[in-house]
Amino acid sequence: MKKILTLALTAGVAAALTSADKGPQTMTKEKGTYIVNTTNIANDVIGYEGPTPLKVYIKKNKIEKVEFLPNQETPKYWNAVKKHFQEVWNGKTVKEAKTMQVDGRTGATFSSDAVKENVKRALDYYEKNK
């Protein structure tokens, strides 16, 4: 009996660890709003100091907002990038947002490019999985 209990606990812990290793869920839906988290689908998109994950909120095929998630970018430059991009895509349809030519933030090219690529991947994922 002790062996069975030990095996069951070990299997349970392994399952919990495997689940935790996957990171956050890529897309969720809350009150009619799809939320696409780019942590897993854009972990290869690197800003100046590393990955720059975002959450993109989409309701009725329009972007409500882009939320900037914690990362390792230099705070001074990252804050400038956030301010620059904070509302660029708000209110745009997914189709409009995908075709927009958005200028980056001067002095923060790598971070700007990473934000734009994260948004693109979020929109692509949304279209394929809604």
Side-chain angles (χ1 to χ4, degrees), residues 62-114:
K62 285 190 176 186
I63 299 172
E64 289 189 318
K65 70 177 180 175
V66 174
E67 179 182 336
F68 298 82
L69 300 177
N71 58 61
Q72 299 301 313
E73 298 295 278
T74 307
K76 174 184 173 183
Y77 294 103
W78 187 244
N79 289 334
V81 168
K82 284 179 11 182
K83 185 177 179 182
H84 180 77
F85 286 116
Q86 195 69 48
E87 297 182 13
V88 168
W89 293 281
N90 293 3
K92 304 289 188 221
T93 65
V94 170
K95 185 178 179 180
E96 289 171 334
K98 287 180 75 168
T99 61
M100 287 175 63
Q101 297 295 316
V102 180
D103 290 334
R105 173 68 165 89
T106 302
T109 304
F110 292 116
S111 301
S112 294
D113 289 346

Side-chain angles (χ1 to χ4, degrees), residues 22-28 35-40 55 125:
K22 291 180 183 174
Q25 196 170 5
T26 302
M27 188 161 68
T28 57
I35 304 165
V36 182
N37 184 324
T38 66
T39 300
N40 294 327
K55 284 185 180 178
Y125 188 90

Side-chain angles (χ1 to χ4, degrees), residues 3 7-8 13 35 47 55 61-62 81 96-97 105 115 119-120 122 127:
K3 243 183 186 179
L7 286 173
V13 169
I35 304 165
K55 284 185 180 178
N61 214 39
K62 285 190 176 186
V81 168
E96 289 171 334
R105 173 68 165 89
V115 168
V119 170
K120 179 190 175 305
E127 287 187 320

